[in-house]
Amino acid sequence: MTIGSLFVQEEAARYNVHNNSIIHQYITRKTKASERDSKARRSLGNLYALYVLCQDYLNGNETGSTFTDLMGRMKSMPFGAKLQNHPLDNRLNDEVRRQYGVADDLLPVQPADLGDGRKARKISVALLSENGMNPKETAAYVVASIEKYIQIIDDNQTAYLNEIEIADSDKEIVDLVKQAFEYTSDARLFEIISFALLHLHYGQTDVTLVFNGVTKTEKLCLYRTGRTNANDGGIDFVLKPLGKFFQVTETLDFKKYFLDFDKINRFQLSFVIKTDLTSDEVRDQISSTAQKSLSPDLVQRYVGLFDDIYTLNELRCILDWVQKSHELIAQLKEIIINCFKLEYGLLD
């Protein structure tokens, strides 16, 4: 049993929560990213919504709280500053309904009437009481499990940040960067390292623009659009002034790529993919897989939307170039640290 499932099982035993209950299955699945090498993204919005609703119930507030109050408490939690109200509105309930096919009374977020017309929510007591469980104990289980989860991922992320901050030799820095290329590495770490390498790569190129007779020369500059879970329509990086969009991923499922194209009205996208395949092999595999369920014309239209494709092969080549220069390695380290702190809310 992994550490990720172990602490949840321990809390379930402590609070007499059944292993086959919906709430236990959900908490177990959502906390898989507590493992240091998990590929799962640490999506906190739905967990934090559960947390504050169960916290209300434990504190004797069974009538619920306003959106404003619940969101304020969610945003005050670690890494919660940028959260939006979607989990309280529909996202948490939609996920539970989709995963477990439950009746409406078992959906976690229930409407609440505070008598003043304000939008309010409360936890589903039916969900906490499933299979005869004590609802107070179940709520305490949810709160305790999420608190431990946050502590574990906080320790994990701080560990990597500390490692790269104290790394004082070029070799140490490069070795830490290479960890992101491992298939078991954290998805956010891979995105950060990919950005840092491509930022340096593109920063070496000058482009000349001519507009209305005015000539301007500037260096290419890659920008991150936000954090991993940002509501950015599937765009992770933007290359200025060319306006190229980038998406970072670890999957070769053609449906994921085609959906990304649809999100931005079938605009061209470049991809950074954690795979050892070449860019041509990636295109061929996506095309051949898509043709099994889509028409050739539609597949050709989507495949034509792929702009540049960077795989581990290109990223390793860029790193080989970077490690020849002490100055570039220092720049790489600085970019990684700053992105890392921004990603995990350490600059909030």
Side-chain angles (χ1 to χ4, degrees), residues 69-336:
D69 176 63
L70 293 169
M71 280 306 306
R73 285 152 54 197
M74 288 169 61
K75 286 176 177 289
S76 70
M77 296 175 70
F79 328 119
K82 304 299 181 182
L83 290 177
Q84 298 176 323
N85 64 0
H86 305 306
L88 291 170
D89 225 353
N90 51 40
R91 188 167 292 168
L92 174 55
N93 280 354
D94 286 348
E95 185 177 36
V96 172
R97 182 187 289 111
R98 185 174 64 252
Q99 292 290 331
Y100 307 103
V102 299
D104 287 351
D105 65 321
L106 286 172
L107 296 176
V109 186
Q110 294 291 316
D113 184 5
L114 301 181
D116 54 9
R118 290 180 296 170
K119 198 173 185 180
R121 292 290 185 265
K122 62 184 178 181
I123 192 68
S124 165
V125 178
L127 178 69
L128 301 180
S129 307
E130 187 188 11
N131 298 327
M133 297 185 301
N134 182 305
K136 290 288 185 181
E137 287 188 325
T138 308
Y141 155 77
V142 171
V143 168
S145 296
I146 293 174
E147 286 178 348
K148 286 196 172 183
Y149 172 63
I150 297 304
Q151 185 59 56
I152 290 171
I153 64 173
D154 186 40
D155 290 345
N156 286 349
Q157 70 173 48
T158 304
Y160 186 86
L161 181 59
N162 289 342
E163 283 182 281
I164 198 157
E165 281 187 320
I166 65 175
D168 57 6
S169 74
D170 291 353
K171 184 180 184 306
E172 283 182 290
I173 296 168
V174 170
D175 287 344
L176 285 168
V177 168
K178 288 179 179 178
Q179 289 183 13
F181 300 156
E182 298 172 3
Y183 282 98
T184 55
S185 72
D186 178 74
R188 293 189 180 194
L189 176 60
F190 179 64
E191 182 173 317
I192 289 170
I193 297 299
S194 298
F195 169 78
L197 290 170
L198 289 172
H199 180 84
L200 292 175
H201 168 69
Y202 280 115
Q204 305 301 306
T205 302
D206 291 325
V207 292
T208 300
L209 306 174
V210 180
F211 183 72
N212 287 340
V214 178
T215 300
K216 180 181 179 181
T217 299
E218 60 182 88
K219 289 187 178 299
L220 292 177
C221 187
L222 192 68
Y223 293 88
R224 291 188 77 200
T225 60
R227 303 179 189 185
T228 300
N229 293 317
N231 187 19
D232 53 19
I235 301 170
D236 294 322
F237 313 147
V238 175
L239 184 64
K240 185 181 177 181
L242 300 184
K244 290 166 68 76
F245 294 161
F246 291 76
Q247 170 69 287
V248 183
T249 185
E250 300 181 1
T251 180
L252 290 174
D253 182 356
F254 78 90
K255 295 178 182 177
K256 176 260 186 298
Y257 295 92
F258 292 3
L259 177 60
D260 285 337
F261 291 131
D262 286 337
K263 284 180 181 178
I264 55 174
N265 200 24
R266 298 187 180 178
F267 189 82
Q268 277 197 321
L269 270 173
S270 294
F271 289 92
V272 185
I273 309 170
K274 187 187 284 188
T275 177
D276 284 302
L277 296 176
T278 67
S279 58
D280 288 339
E281 288 171 336
V282 168
R283 291 177 194 268
D284 291 344
Q285 181 169 323
I286 290 173
S287 178
S288 62
T289 305
Q291 287 178 14
K292 295 177 182 178
S293 54
L294 300 176
S295 69
D297 288 345
L298 186 59
V299 172
Q300 184 177 5
R301 187 186 312 168
Y302 275 107
V303 172
L305 295 174
F306 282 86
D307 199 353
D308 294 329
I309 295 178
Y310 288 88
T311 69
L312 292 175
N313 300 291
E314 287 77 22
L315 294 178
R316 290 186 180 112
C317 286
I318 296 173
L319 182 58
D320 287 343
W321 162 70
V322 168
Q323 65 182 329
K324 295 176 182 177
S325 165
H326 175 74
E327 181 181 351
L328 285 175
I329 291 177
Q331 291 178 32
L332 180 65
K333 174 181 176 178
E334 182 180 4
I335 295 169
I336 293 169

